[in-house]
Amino acid sequence: MLCSVFKLPNFVVYMTTPKRPNVILLVLDSVRADHVSCYGYKRLTTPTIDKIAQEGILFSQVITAAPWTLPSHASLFTGLFPTEHGVSQENTYLSETIPTLAQLLNQAGYRTVGFSNNPWVDKSTGLDRGFKEFFGWRNFRPTTKTNFLEKISRKLQLYKGSMAENTIKQMLSWIKTYSDPKSAPFFLFANFMETHIPYSVPRQFLRKFSATEFNWRTINQDEAKYITGTTRMSTEDLEKLALMYDSALAYLDSEIGRFLTSLDKLGILENTLLIITSDHGENLGEHGLISHVLCLYDTLLRVPLVMRHPSLILPGTIVNNQIQLHYLFSTILQVAQSMVAKDEYQGSINLLNQTDKGQVNQGYTFAEYNHPVLTANRFRKFNPDFDNPQLITALKCVRSSQYKYIWSERGQDEFYELEGDPEETHNLIQDSKASLEIDKMKCVLTMWEGTLVKTYQQPMIADLELDDAALTQRLKDLGYF
């Protein structure tokens, strides 16, 4: 099949404001769009996010470039796809030759600060680069500087302390200390982990969606045990897992609400671009998977994105065209009126230029999952022979509003008709009726790959030193080793 000309979008919008706004970027780790209530979910999980969407803009089809934390954040901070920035399970450090969003905003005169609950977003991976101040996950652990009774009460869920609570306390302290309408604007980034497996939810939020109490400790939250078949989970178990996830989301949403209420009282929101999104989604039993590993289904790729600014964004705006999450990189640079926003990186994309009447339709979005060496090694601790070719493989996908084609390094390709099969349960890769569309999507994916430019030179994971015992243990707790 001959491929028609394929061109990525290239349009430029320069925004002007009397005073450059502050930018607050909140990443709610592992939140999938279809569990957010303003995206049509059956449970009222996110009244705070819903309110921001009503006061600003909601993007209904946002696709992340990677289905797990490290490469997704690297894309968010560089405007590049994983192939371009090179961060993966085989290469866990962002090259110092690649400029980051925080670096460029620093150069543009912004005061930059980062708060991360996730050990993958930290100094050890290079994702702290450019932040004038950066507070990593060790700063927010609930067990830090607490007495014995408080530690026990947390385990029994009698104490509501959490990483989110501690993070927001420090964020507000920083803002009260350093934000001054007469001084330079600030860029604040924060990553929250309440919706990252394993979930630990205050008891009152578990009761929010369940009429009957259950012992959440009996529900398996280890994806390696489930996927390798070491631990079986019933339909009821998976329903309870989803309930725990929703409860964690509701709790995190309430903490974000507390943060925004405080900002409103301080008058900070009057000239602040507020962005709430996620780095990737979460599997809750779909496709025989839990957590966020080994696939490129929409359960992992489609994330929420809402933004608010009183003068830059018309309240109640909804954008239904699909977009890439990491176009936030260029959007933020243009809002900040950074000089580098003219031509470099993804500088031609400004998401705030998209309206219902004047959208530029990108047509296709893309995502990558490089070979899962860390995940495979961990799974083989439970089953030494585990080597499912559909799962232990590198993946790439191209997605349109109608179709998705997933390329597998081990030949387990997939093709879905999204309008009739949004849950991606009927693989049409062998369907002769779909052959023309499959060929077209293969062609688009190949041509897109030809546009990517690798911009990194650095060691593989075997050459990196993970000699920090606390970091290694934290990653083990989160299911990475």
Side-chain angles (χ1 to χ4, degrees), residues 310-463:
S311 61
L312 293 177
I313 298 173
L314 183 68
T317 302
I318 298 176
V319 174
N320 291 315
N321 286 340
Q322 63 168 357
I323 61 166
Q324 297 278 175
L325 174 65
H326 63 275
Y327 290 161
L328 281 174
F329 173 85
S330 55
T331 299
I332 292 171
L333 288 178
Q334 291 191 40
V335 169
Q337 298 178 324
S338 168
M339 293 300 293
V340 300
K342 292 181 179 179
D343 300 304
E344 299 180 61
Y345 317 115
Q346 297 284 350
S348 59
I349 305 294
N350 188 327
L351 298 179
L352 295 186
N353 185 53
Q354 305 219 359
T355 65
D356 276 338
K357 294 183 179 180
Q359 297 178 32
V360 174
N361 191 344
Q362 183 179 340
Y364 301 101
T365 51
F366 306 89
E368 303 178 74
Y369 186 60
N370 287 348
H371 194 72
V373 291
L374 295 178
T375 302
N377 289 340
R378 181 170 184 271
F379 279 30
R380 286 167 188 152
K381 292 179 182 179
F382 294 92
N383 182 350
D385 298 322
F386 186 80
D387 188 30
N388 186 327
Q390 187 173 354
L391 300 179
I392 306 301
T393 182
L395 302 168
K396 296 180 182 181
C397 81
V398 54
R399 185 187 189 278
S400 70
S401 59
Q402 291 181 291
Y403 305 107
K404 180 193 282 185
Y405 167 67
I406 303 174
W407 169 86
S408 164
E409 185 180 45
R410 299 179 69 176
Q412 305 295 309
D413 294 8
E414 300 172 69
F415 183 79
Y416 297 98
E417 196 274 297
L418 297 177
E419 290 185 343
D421 182 24
E423 296 180 352
E424 298 167 280
T425 58
H426 303 291
N427 184 6
L428 303 177
I429 197 67
Q430 301 295 336
D431 190 335
S432 60
K433 296 180 181 178
S435 60
L436 288 178
E437 291 297 338
I438 293 171
D439 287 344
K440 177 181 177 182
M441 296 293 271
K442 286 182 177 180
C443 180
V444 170
L445 184 65
T446 298
M447 298 188 75
W448 166 75
E449 290 178 298
T451 70
L452 303 178
V453 178
K454 294 182 179 180
T455 58
Y456 64 94
Q457 287 184 345
Q458 55 203 49
M460 306 299 279
I461 189 169
D463 299 317

Side-chain angles (χ1 to χ4, degrees), residues 127-397:
L127 294 187
D128 68 323
R129 188 153 34 85
F131 288 100
K132 188 173 182 179
E133 297 173 82
F134 190 87
F135 303 91
W137 59 278
R138 291 176 176 84
N139 293 274
F140 313 118
R141 301 190 76 177
T143 55
T144 301
K145 296 183 180 180
T146 57
N147 62 41
F148 175 76
L149 290 177
E150 286 178 333
K151 292 180 181 179
I152 294 297
S153 64
R154 280 194 179 96
K155 290 183 178 179
L156 296 174
Q157 293 194 324
L158 301 175
Y159 179 83
K160 73 172 185 175
S162 72
M163 292 184 78
E165 180 182 327
N166 295 340
T167 304
I168 286 172
K169 181 179 180 180
Q170 293 195 38
M171 288 163 61
L172 288 173
S173 176
W174 186 92
I175 288 173
K176 291 175 183 177
T177 302
Y178 293 107
S179 65
D180 181 351
K182 297 180 182 180
S183 64
F186 67 83
F187 168 60
L188 183 151
F189 159 79
N191 169 286
F192 296 94
M193 289 280 283
E194 273 60 32
T195 42
H196 189 293
I197 208 165
Y199 319 122
S200 180
V201 190
R203 185 170 294 173
Q204 65 269 31
F205 282 86
L206 276 175
R207 293 172 179 152
K208 183 179 178 69
F209 301 124
S210 178
T212 59
E213 288 198 26
F214 63 92
N215 185 354
W216 61 270
R217 296 177 185 85
T218 65
I219 305 302
N220 174 59
Q221 297 194 58
D222 190 322
E223 72 274 14
K225 292 180 180 179
Y226 175 62
I227 296 171
T228 61
T230 305
T231 297
R232 298 192 180 279
M233 298 181 70
S234 66
T235 300
E236 183 181 3
D237 290 336
L238 293 171
E239 289 174 351
K240 289 178 179 178
L241 186 71
L243 187 147
M244 293 165 62
Y245 176 80
D246 291 344
S247 301
L249 178 54
Y251 169 63
L252 180 53
D253 181 84
S254 73
E255 287 296 302
I256 299 298
R258 182 171 65 85
F259 173 63
L260 297 181
T261 297
S262 297
L263 292 189
D264 193 35
K265 291 178 180 178
L266 294 171
I268 298 295
L269 294 179
E270 294 178 7
N271 190 32
T272 293
L273 175 62
L274 173 66
I275 305 168
I276 302 178
T277 187
S278 180
D279 52 346
H280 55 78
E282 188 85 330
N283 284 311
L284 297 166
E286 300 89 350
H287 303 279
L289 302 170
I290 63 173
S291 188
H292 42 274
V293 294
L294 308 178
C295 79
L296 290 179
Y297 301 121
D298 276 9
T299 48
L300 299 193
L301 298 187
R302 185 168 167 252
V303 297
L305 174 60
V306 299
M307 294 193 274
R308 175 193 183 276
H309 188 287
S311 61
L312 293 177
I313 298 173
L314 183 68
T317 302
I318 298 176
V319 174
N320 291 315
N321 286 340
Q322 63 168 357
I323 61 166
Q324 297 278 175
L325 174 65
H326 63 275
Y327 290 161
L328 281 174
F329 173 85
S330 55
T331 299
I332 292 171
L333 288 178
Q334 291 191 40
V335 169
Q337 298 178 324
S338 168
M339 293 300 293
V340 300
K342 292 181 179 179
D343 300 304
E344 299 180 61
Y345 317 115
Q346 297 284 350
S348 59
I349 305 294
N350 188 327
L351 298 179
L352 295 186
N353 185 53
Q354 305 219 359
T355 65
D356 276 338
K357 294 183 179 180
Q359 297 178 32
V360 174
N361 191 344
Q362 183 179 340
Y364 301 101
T365 51
F366 306 89
E368 303 178 74
Y369 186 60
N370 287 348
H371 194 72
V373 291
L374 295 178
T375 302
N377 289 340
R378 181 170 184 271
F379 279 30
R380 286 167 188 152
K381 292 179 182 179
F382 294 92
N383 182 350
D385 298 322
F386 186 80
D387 188 30
N388 186 327
Q390 187 173 354
L391 300 179
I392 306 301
T393 182
L395 302 168
K396 296 180 182 181
C397 81

